[in-house]
Amino acid sequence: MDPYDEFQSIDFELIDDVNEYKEIIDECREWKDEHDSNDEYNIDPSQFDDEEEYLDALRKLWKRKYDYFNEFSSIDPNDYSNEDDYSNAIENKKNWMNKYDKDNVYKLDPSDYDCEEEYLDALILHWQETYDSKHQFNGFNFNKFTTIDDYLVELDDRMNWTTQCDPEGMYSKIDASNYDNLIQYKHQINLRKAWKSKYDPNNEHTNINPCDYNDVEEYHEALMDD
């Protein structure tokens, strides 16, 4: 019944007859076939009082195998009854990390998030805090960025635009990331400059910023009411 001595922990002193021994062997084989059919973990199921204890021992080894550095701590092996489901859950989150933060620079655990979009949104916030801490450029369609490099290319472009068109930062309320190209952004800057030059050339209304208005009529009316 156990020619290869797989189930060494069976205590014969507690067994009255061969049928009882056979039942124990069959049960242990059933557990092993269900949870470790390839005998990868070399754990004797007969040393455990029940299947759940045996499974708990295996889960610790799954964790060591698939999440040795505890990068995916929110994926609890205790929530899984078989290795494949657990490893697939880890692999899914690992794919997110490889896609958006391959080197795990921002130390975000993707398993803390229910969906890929939430994980990406959290990463974007970290990108902004690192490279645009004043949140000067909030108008990006962040959904189009899949890597930090993609974001930095666009951010560097906008920074160059502002340096070129508004070196003194007088029109910083106009978010360059709202525009697809330099011509569009420069047009908006030039409009505000023209409004200011026409209606407030001596800068008497310092509390009224032309960038706060969508058209010249609104801006002019605000100046008249000041």
Side-chain angles (χ1 to χ4, degrees), residues 114-196:
D114 293 330
C115 63
E116 187 174 349
E117 290 75 14
E118 287 184 6
Y119 172 60
L120 179 56
D121 287 345
L123 277 175
I124 286 169
L125 290 176
H126 280 69
W127 298 349
Q128 284 186 290
E129 290 303 323
T130 303
Y131 298 102
D132 182 23
S133 58
K134 296 180 180 179
H135 284 221
Q136 183 179 351
F137 305 101
N138 291 318
F140 286 123
N141 175 16
F142 288 104
N143 291 330
K144 73 179 182 179
F145 300 125
T146 58
T147 67
I148 180 63
D149 291 336
D150 292 339
Y151 170 67
L152 289 178
V153 167
E154 297 286 337
L155 183 66
D156 286 344
D157 278 347
R158 271 45 177 206
M159 287 180 172
N160 290 334
W161 296 358
T162 58
T163 300
Q164 179 178 337
C165 301
D166 185 27
E168 297 178 359
M170 293 180 61
Y171 303 93
S172 59
K173 283 191 173 183
I174 297 178
D175 185 347
S177 61
N178 282 317
Y179 305 96
D180 295 329
N181 55 62
L182 174 60
I183 294 174
Q184 293 177 357
Y185 171 66
K186 190 173 184 178
H187 175 67
Q188 295 300 323
I189 293 286
N190 288 339
L191 277 179
R192 270 64 180 189
K193 286 180 179 178
W195 300 353
K196 183 78 173 176

Side-chain angles (χ1 to χ4, degrees), residues 69 197 224:
F69 296 105
S197 177
M224 297 295 291

